Amino acid sequence: MTGAGARPWLVALLAWAALIFALSSFPNPPGPRATDLRSTLAHVAEYAVFGFLALNLLVRWRGQLSARIVAAAWLLSVAYGISDELHQAFVPRRDASLLDVLTDAAGAALGVAAAVLLLRARGRLSRTADPPDRAPRRSAQ
């Protein structure tokens, strides 16, 4: 990591990913499938946090907020959601679900959007901030 302040966000993201993995490792209890509103909200919340952490990590690593960073944070979150569903395919009484991936993607979008809004509201990073390892561009005089 070259960006200042990226390490705590990396640790937080890895810890959150580990928590999601651990929760996905438990077999569902016998009975009706959890396709209710609670399950949907749980997926949205899990991946909203993941997306929020991912964007903050990437912004601090790269030193800027850009459309590419936003897209990368969302794609990272969705990729982890897909890997989580594949993991669940091997857990007894669990299965992989495309609907869960779509719900995870929606949650990630909310988390990434919330992080963008918070960063801009705090005024900590502008859209065109220079990375910390580069000197600002000067106009030729």
Side-chain angles (χ1 to χ4, degrees):
M1 295 278 136
T2 59
R7 184 166 289 161
W9 292 99
L10 175 61
V11 170
L13 181 63
L14 292 175
W16 191 253
L19 178 64
I20 291 172
F21 184 87
L23 293 173
S24 295
S25 298
F26 293 111
N28 276 341
R33 289 204 23 110
T35 56
D36 60 4
L37 182 60
R38 289 176 301 173
S39 175
T40 300
L41 291 176
H43 276 272
V44 169
E46 283 176 2
Y47 283 88
V49 171
F50 194 100
F52 184 87
L53 295 172
L55 182 75
N56 277 285
L57 168 64
L58 294 177
V59 163
R60 280 157 181 85
W61 180 42
R62 298 295 297 172
Q64 66 183 4
L65 178 60
S66 67
R68 282 186 175 176
I69 296 294
V70 170
W74 183 76
L75 289 171
L76 175 65
S77 303
V78 172
Y80 192 76
I82 292 169
S83 74
D84 182 48
E85 290 303 313
L86 292 174
H87 165 238
Q88 288 181 44
F90 297 99
V91 176
R93 295 188 306 275
R94 301 285 297 254
D95 59 359
S97 165
L98 179 59
L99 182 59
D100 286 351
V101 171
L102 294 174
T103 305
D104 297 343
L110 290 173
V112 167
V116 167
L117 292 173
L118 187 61
L119 286 169
R120 289 211 178 135
R122 286 185 173 176
R124 294 178 67 182
L125 295 169
S126 68
R127 257 191 118 171
T128 59
D130 287 321
D133 56 344
R134 291 189 196 165
R137 292 182 184 157
R138 299 176 196 257
S139 59
Q141 294 181 3

